[in-house]
Amino acid sequence: MKVLLIEDEKLIRMFIVEYFNKQNAQVIEACNGYEGLDYMDESIDIVLLDIMMSGIDGYEVCQLIREKSDVPIIFISALSEDDNKLKGYALGADDFISKPFTPSLLYAKCEALLKRIHKNVQKKIIHEGIITIDEDTHEVLVNGRKINLSYKEYSILLYLIANKRKILTRDQLLDKIWGYDYYGDQRIVDTYIKKLRRKLAEASSYIQTVVKLGYMFEVKDKQ
C-alpha cells in the first residue's frame, strides 16, 4: 500500500507513519495541500487528507485531485459535523475519520476501502444502449465518447446496471457503495446520481427516478 498523507500537524503525521510503516505500508508525507498535489501521481494507492490547512484546504485539494484521478480519498479531520462530511463526499471523498482516532482504525479503513475497490470481478465488456463499459480498464463510453467517472460514480453505474429494471432504494445504494458503517445523510446518493447523469449526457435517461422509492436503470429506447 502506497499512501499519500496530507496533514499539517507533524505529530499526527508521525504517529500515522510509524504505525503504517509497521504494517509495511509506504507513506509519502506532505505538510500542506500544495506539497500534496506535487506528490500526487499514478503510483499512489490511497490519499489521507486533512481538511483544515493553511494556504489551500482539504476540500480544494480533494476537488483538484478528483479532476485527474479516481484514487481513494479518506478525510482525516476534527470537523465531524454532518455538513462537513456531506461536502467532502460531494467533492468525491470515499470515507471520513474524525480526530482523535487510533492509527489502527485508520489503517483498517484503508485496507477495507482498497479491498472493496480491488475485489476480483469477472472481466468483461458491458453494452447497455449507447453505454459501453470495459470492466478491466474501467473505461466508460457513451456513443463512443469516453467519459471520466469518479470511483463512486463508476460503482453506482455498475450496481444499477447489474440490477437493471429493479428499483434500488437509497439505503441499498448507501450500503453497497458507501458501506454498512456509513451513517451520513441519504442526500449524498441524490448528489452522486445527479453528477452521474450529467456525465452520461444523452444516456442520462437510463437512470430513472422512482418517486419515494429510489432509482432504476433501464434502456427503453433504441439508440
Side-chain angles (χ1 to χ4, degrees):
M1 185 192 304
K2 186 174 182 181
V3 181
L4 174 58
L5 172 60
I6 308 175
E7 165 65 62
D8 61 354
E9 294 187 44
K10 184 177 180 180
L11 186 61
I12 293 178
R13 293 202 311 272
M14 287 176 60
F15 82 78
I16 291 176
V17 170
E18 181 180 2
Y19 184 86
F20 274 54
N21 285 345
K22 288 180 180 179
Q23 311 305 315
N24 295 319
Q26 180 185 358
V27 181
I28 309 299
E29 296 182 64
C31 63
N32 60 60
Y34 293 115
E35 188 175 27
L37 291 171
D38 286 339
Y39 290 148
M40 187 65 216
D41 60 41
E42 293 181 357
S43 68
I44 300 297
D45 294 310
I46 195 164
V47 175
L48 305 178
L49 178 59
D50 187 23
I51 293 179
M52 299 302 292
M53 296 182 292
S54 59
I56 179 173
D57 66 23
Y59 292 133
E60 190 170 354
V61 173
C62 179
Q63 189 172 16
L64 290 170
I65 289 176
R66 276 291 168 262
E67 290 177 358
K68 299 180 179 180
S69 173
D70 292 334
V71 65
I73 297 174
I74 297 179
F75 271 128
I76 50 176
S77 178
L79 300 176
S80 59
E81 291 81 2
D82 286 346
D83 286 345
N84 294 310
K85 292 182 179 181
L86 280 172
K87 182 176 180 180
Y89 287 126
L91 290 172
D94 296 279
D95 206 344
F96 195 107
I97 190 168
S98 299
K99 299 177 182 178
F101 56 85
T102 62
S104 58
L105 176 59
L106 178 59
Y107 186 80
K109 279 181 171 286
C110 291
E111 278 199 318
L113 180 56
L114 290 174
K115 185 177 180 180
R116 289 201 298 269
I117 291 173
H118 297 299
K119 184 178 180 181
N120 290 329
V121 294
Q122 184 179 359
K123 298 177 181 179
K124 61 180 181 179
I125 302 296
I126 297 173
H127 296 285
E128 290 291 341
I130 58 174
I131 297 175
T132 302
I133 301 174
D134 185 334
E135 286 194 318
D136 187 18
T137 63
H138 287 197
E139 185 176 69
V140 179
L141 304 177
V142 175
N143 257 342
R145 185 186 73 256
K146 183 178 179 180
I147 62 171
N148 295 316
L149 301 181
S150 70
Y151 171 72
K152 275 193 168 52
E153 291 164 353
Y154 176 81
S155 299
I156 290 170
L157 180 59
L158 276 191
Y159 187 47
L160 287 168
I161 289 175
N163 294 275
K164 59 186 178 182
R165 293 186 291 277
K166 294 180 182 178
I167 298 172
L168 296 177
T169 67
R170 290 171 178 81
D171 282 336
Q172 287 176 303
L173 286 162
L174 282 173
D175 289 344
K176 178 65 177 180
I177 308 301
W178 279 265
Y180 289 100
D181 58 347
Y182 176 77
Y183 295 103
D185 197 308
Q186 286 188 340
R187 289 176 298 175
I188 192 66
V189 174
D190 300 326
T191 298
Y192 270 83
I193 291 290
K194 182 179 180 180
K195 292 165 64 176
L196 178 56
R197 280 173 168 158
R198 184 167 61 245
K199 292 183 179 181
L200 290 175
E202 58 266 42
S204 61
S205 62
Y206 294 173
I207 300 177
Q208 302 172 27
T209 300
V210 183
V211 179
K212 296 184 179 179
L213 292 176
Y215 296 96
M216 180 176 68
F217 186 95
E218 184 176 15
V219 179
K220 286 188 174 182
D221 54 329
K222 294 181 180 180
Q223 300 189 42

